[in-house]
Amino acid sequence: MKEKLDQILDRALSEINSSEQLDKLNDIKTAFLGKKGELTAVLKGMKDVAPEDRPKVGQMVNETREKIESVLEKKKTEFERKILEEKMKNEVIDVTLPGKKMGRGHRHPNTIALEEVEKIFIGMGYEVVDGPEIEYDYYNFEALNIPEGHPAKDEQDTFYINDKILLRTQTSSVQVHVMEEGKLPIRMISPGRVFRSDDVDATHSPSFHQIEGMVIDKGITFADLKGTLDLFAKKLFGEDTKTKFRPHHFPFTEPSAEMDVSCFKCGGKGCRFCKGEGWIEILGCGMVHPHVLEMSGLNPDEYTGFAFGVGLERIALLKYEIDDMRLLYENDMRFLEQF
């Protein structure tokens, strides 16, 4: 048995010493020390050894195993050292070379504008609410007092998926979902992407962003609307900003208005930025139509409210004096790095 173990040891050492790759050592270890290896086969044959000789044979097998494992580990260490030396040789770093400037990402101008708007309204106690971009015709139109055949449907070129489902043209649909929940009072804004079948130019895009806001409670008046939006304009464009409201028409509000802000470039004197008028149109607003409240399960005799909507891109264009909306979507780094 000793002679057989010596032969196994000699063959194992010979193969280990002649190996040239780390992977080869794993094969050798499996061949001699694995579950089906030669030493394991010797141990399985112990049943044929006389009982009094088994401890001695077992000791010789363990000694042989330890010698093979020791040489394997030594050879493995040599291979790993060589691999590390080669790697370090190929990855030499010249510390005298100038460092590479790391490019850092930053927020998009739309994101900057949105976060500022959200901060203003959250400070006034509003909640930011999200909603689905793929919407039912009911929530996008009918529940907002725009029934089948209404002219306002033609004014908003809509992407229809089928007769009942569409890509939302306004985030006002989110307001209907919130009203239907019946949790009053409501103070919310709903920013999000909307879609309309418009041609791309300096002021239009088939995909853009709106921020709709709404307040529903007992005793809400148009004065509350004016005060809220006046404060919003001052926080966004500066404390010297003035506001004025012009009568307008929206199907889901009555009365309705458009709000202008005094030109923050010339202070209302008239310049190229405001086209000499001293005022800039910023958003649409009005008192929530009683029929809209009824359709959402609210009693218009008990509750009133106001709503408003502003284009996020319009805020970004005005705030950063950008004259072409396409710049916001072309991913031109020369433009984006200015923010």
Side-chain angles (χ1 to χ4, degrees), residues 258-273:
E258 285 189 337
M259 188 183 84
D260 299 337
V261 296
S262 57
C263 180
F264 39 85
K265 192 73 173 172
C266 64
K269 297 176 181 178
C271 65
R272 180 192 65 82
F273 194 70

Side-chain angles (χ1 to χ4, degrees), residues 298-314:
L298 302 180
N299 184 356
D301 295 328
E302 185 177 2
Y303 291 97
T304 55
F306 63 77
F308 57 89
V310 57
L312 176 61
E313 283 80 3
R314 182 161 183 75

Side-chain angles (χ1 to χ4, degrees), residues 121 125-127 129 144 171-180 183-190 211-217 220 225 228 252-253 286-288 292-293 296 298 304-309:
F121 281 103
Y126 284 60
E127 179 185 5
V129 182
L144 294 169
T171 53
S172 300
S173 57
V174 182
Q175 298 173 359
V176 180
H177 288 288
V178 174
M179 284 191 290
E180 284 185 343
K183 297 178 181 178
L184 299 169
I186 298 171
R187 290 178 179 82
M188 58 158 287
I189 59 170
S190 55
I211 305 171
E212 304 279 349
M214 183 179 69
V215 170
I216 303 289
D217 202 351
I220 299 296
L225 168 63
T228 299
F252 37 87
T253 54
M287 299 299 293
V288 178
V292 172
L293 293 173
S296 297
L298 302 180
T304 55
F306 63 77
F308 57 89

Side-chain angles (χ1 to χ4, degrees), residues 29-42:
K29 184 176 182 180
T30 301
F32 288 95
L33 307 179
K35 290 182 179 180
K36 297 182 180 180
E38 295 193 29
L39 282 183
T40 304
V42 172

Side-chain angles (χ1 to χ4, degrees), residues 3 14 17 20 38-39 65 84 148 170 181 185 205 213-214 216 228 240-241 253 262 280 285 293 296 326:
E3 184 179 346
S14 176
N17 292 326
E20 297 179 353
E38 295 193 29
L39 282 183
R65 177 184 293 276
L84 180 60
E148 190 70 32
Q170 53 198 358
E181 292 176 1
S205 171
M214 183 179 69
I216 303 289
T228 299
D240 295 331
T241 303
T253 54
S262 57
I280 301 171
C285 58
L293 293 173
S296 297
R326 289 170 291 193

Side-chain angles (χ1 to χ4, degrees), residues 20-62:
E20 297 179 353
Q21 293 181 344
L22 187 59
D23 292 343
K24 181 65 176 174
L25 292 181
N26 293 328
D27 295 338
I28 296 171
K29 184 176 182 180
T30 301
F32 288 95
L33 307 179
K35 290 182 179 180
K36 297 182 180 180
E38 295 193 29
L39 282 183
T40 304
V42 172
L43 289 173
K44 288 180 179 179
M46 289 281 282
K47 64 180 182 296
D48 299 327
V49 179
E52 63 274 13
D53 293 333
R54 287 176 185 175
K56 186 177 180 181
V57 172
Q59 183 180 354
M60 288 190 293
V61 171
N62 289 334

